[in-house]
Amino acid sequence: MDQIIVRGNGPLKGEIPITGAKNACLTLMPATLLTDQPLTLTNAPRLSDIRTMTALLQSLGAEVASLQEGQVLTLSSHDLNNHTADYEIVRKMRASILVLGPMLARDGHAIVSLPGGCAIGARPVDLHLKAFEAMGAQLDLRDGYVHAKAPAGGLKGAVIDFPIVSVGATENALLAATLARGTTVIKNAAREPEIVDLAQCLRRMGAHIDGEGTSTITIEGVQTLGGATHPVVTDRIELGTYMLAPAICGGEVECLGGRIDLVAAFCEKLDEAGIDVTETDRGLKVSRKNGRVRAVDVVTEPFPGFPTDLQAQMMALLCTAEGTSVLEEKIFENRFMHAPELIRMGARIDVHGGHATVHGTSKLRGARVMATDLRASVSLILAGLAAEGETVVSRVYHLDRGYEKVVRKLRGVGADIERIKGVTADE
Ligand code: EPZ
């Protein structure tokens, strides 16, 4: 399997283009199942997760074609001939559960494998299922699959009051509600930009939606939806990740396409840590003010709070800060697996339950480390950029799920980084 080698190489300078959001694209693609008209997504990221979602939709009978080297996806579900999402695909990517709502809404039945857990947590889907039950669906769990059936007249509009904020459950309920009979009100809805993006795309397809981006989303069901062309919103997690490169190495990098509204809470923490962020007419310019990074405390929360998907990357920065920082991970139960790998690089981190206390050190040292999940993998690369000596990151297939051309983008701003193919399986 491939490895990535990073050598500390001093301050970075230049610009990094930010691509379309993985987590927006993964919820936009299933929207094709709601209509027999063509859906075109532009600014799509070229990632393994997108290829997995493509394979899943094709297994259901949808046609998915990628143009312009994958940046444009054309999708059509004119001839769905299968309503079973198989375990072999679903187990690879949890977002596969997002085909359940659209299939239920349009054709009244679906069989979808339960996704199972993943490295960062149990990741149950009970809230998704409760939403569909509230809309009148009958759900049977058998042999690891959800067998779902809508009432004879189709899903009914309902009031869905989520006990906790769930991005995926909000997206699944939103997708399903567009074709339900009557009004659906989603309370305690997630407010992430990816949900706003989904609502905007569904509206282009003819859906009647109000309140996206707030905690209450109201949907008036319609008989049918049409096609649309929709640009995938900028990836705020990729944006935040690359903003941390000049923060941890010094120098100045402009993230093209970056928008401050997508990363406001994150930018507040960067400012506290002594990192300068300036809005330009092309994106966000990031530089480290003089002196060392200052320690800051971080608590991960649903949007608009500090994103859990930037926690690992922020921890890498804080390992080099002056002072002690405390990171509290409130979204997932096991999202500090990058800590032991950072400790191999000389970081001083104490993890107790959902809290990680980071005692900043002036210098990290390169080491052989192992990526454990998508965001952990890129936090190790950030640490390697600032470390003395060489860092070798293995299991980089995690990285390919969510970061397009990471070596090229970082080399473009002066990083000493390379990817070596097919190393012996020491993984
Ligand atoms: C989405 O996952 C993202 N994935 C995650 O990004 C992100 O970390 C997460 O939202 C939180 O922002 C995609 O969009 C594809 P949740 P999701 O439902 O929808 C619990 C990345 O790195 N929960 O908001 O699965 C759950 O266990 C990935 O790109 C239930 O208990 O997250 C978690 O503790 C990682 N029951 C909390 O809610 C449910 O039915 C938030 O999960 C659903 C969720």
Side-chain angles (χ1 to χ4, degrees):
M1 292 179 209
D2 294 5
Q3 291 180 326
I4 284 181
I5 300 176
V6 195
R7 299 173 191 87
N9 193 31
L12 302 176
K13 186 116 182 81
E15 51 194 42
I16 295 179
I18 304 301
T19 46
K22 164 180 85 82
N23 290 349
C25 202
L26 289 176
T27 191
L28 289 165
M29 291 173 75
T32 181
L33 300 170
L34 292 168
T35 174
D36 60 5
Q37 299 300 307
L39 173 64
T40 299
L41 299 175
T42 60
N43 193 36
R46 289 160 288 192
L47 301 167
S48 61
D49 269 10
I50 303 306
R51 291 189 289 276
T52 303
M53 181 60 81
T54 296
L56 172 60
L57 292 171
Q58 288 171 336
S59 77
L60 303 176
E63 289 161 26
V64 185
S66 65
L67 313 169
Q68 292 176 31
E69 295 177 337
Q71 277 191 308
V72 174
L73 297 173
T74 59
L75 305 99
S76 166
S77 298
H78 193 273
D79 303 314
L80 287 188
N81 52 26
N82 173 28
H83 289 78
T84 299
D86 190 80
Y87 174 67
E88 280 314 309
I89 295 183
V90 175
R91 72 182 176 83
K92 278 191 277 186
M93 187 187 62
R94 308 180 33 69
S96 307
I97 192 76
L98 293 173
V99 302
L100 179 51
M103 281 200 285
L104 251 188
R106 184 179 160 207
D107 293 338
H109 61 98
I111 302 173
V112 176
S113 167
L114 284 169
C118 79
I120 64 176
R123 311 287 296 276
V125 292
D126 57 312
L127 299 179
H128 299 240
L129 304 185
K130 284 200 183 78
F132 299 137
E133 282 174 337
M135 298 171 85
Q138 187 188 326
L139 306 173
D140 298 311
L141 301 192
R142 287 200 306 272
D143 319 320
Y145 283 77
V146 181
H147 295 252
K149 201 167 168 41
L155 292 178
K156 301 191 304 296
V159 175
I160 299 166
D161 195 347
F162 287 124
I164 58 169
V165 172
S166 162
V167 171
T170 300
E171 291 165 343
N172 232 337
L174 175 55
L175 284 158
T178 56
L179 292 179
R181 275 178 301 117
T183 304
T184 298
V185 180
I186 302 174
K187 294 183 172 179
N188 202 18
R191 299 170 55 190
E192 273 67 5
E194 293 75 36
I195 288 168
V196 171
D197 202 40
L198 174 62
Q200 288 169 349
C201 177
L202 292 169
R203 196 174 288 119
R204 282 199 167 103
M205 295 167 67
H208 295 170
I209 301 167
D210 282 309
E212 71 275 10
T214 75
S215 299
T216 303
I217 304 175
T218 305
I219 306 103
E220 296 297 336
V222 294
Q223 284 290 330
T224 56
L225 289 175
T229 295
H230 179 80
V232 177
V233 69
T234 301
D235 191 322
R236 62 194 170 94
I237 305 304
E238 188 196 31
L239 170 61
T241 302
Y242 287 121
M243 290 172 74
L244 284 166
I248 202 167
C249 293
E252 182 176 89
V253 170
E254 185 171 17
C255 295
L256 307 183
R259 287 174 21 204
I260 203 98
D261 63 302
L262 296 173
V263 284
F266 174 68
C267 287
E268 280 170 28
K269 284 297 168 187
L270 288 187
D271 182 54
E272 249 183 82
I275 307 300
D276 195 56
V277 178
T278 309
E279 285 186 276
T280 68
D281 55 8
R282 300 174 71 210
L284 298 180
K285 189 172 280 188
V286 184
S287 59
R288 190 163 80 192
K289 300 166 188 164
N290 48 17
R292 276 181 66 188
V293 171
R294 292 192 293 270
V296 296
D297 293 340
V298 172
V299 179
T300 65
E301 293 174 310
F303 195 88
F306 189 100
T308 174
D309 292 349
L310 283 173
Q311 178 260 108
Q313 300 91 312
M314 190 71 178
M315 186 184 285
L317 176 71
L318 296 174
C319 288
T320 68
E322 190 160 21
T324 297
S325 309
V326 177
L327 294 99
E328 184 182 1
E329 172 55 59
K330 290 177 69 175
I331 307 293
F332 291 111
E333 61 266 33
N334 185 33
R335 205 172 196 176
F336 286 137
M337 286 173 298
H338 39 286
E341 301 302 316
L342 291 167
I343 289 168
R344 288 179 52 74
M345 299 176 71
R348 292 175 50 223
I349 308 169
D350 302 321
V351 173
H352 297 290
H355 289 83
T357 302
V358 179
H359 308 281
T361 170
S362 56
K363 262 294 165 204
L364 295 174
R365 293 183 310 281
R368 292 173 62 84
V369 290
M370 185 177 77
T372 50
D373 60 84
L374 167 57
R375 306 304 176 183
S377 56
V378 79
S379 82
L380 301 175
I381 288 178
L382 287 171
L385 290 175
E388 260 164 19
E390 184 173 276
T391 298
V392 181
V393 184
S394 60
R395 298 195 177 182
V396 293
Y397 54 82
H398 289 291
L399 201 68
D400 296 334
R401 297 191 55 174
Y403 289 92
E404 184 184 318
K405 298 189 174 59
V406 63
V407 171
R408 180 188 298 182
K409 290 187 177 187
L410 287 172
R411 289 172 78 99
V413 291
D416 180 350
I417 181 172
E418 61 181 315
R419 180 167 184 146
I420 50 176
K421 289 281 177 210
V423 187
T424 49
D426 69 338
E427 314 288 327

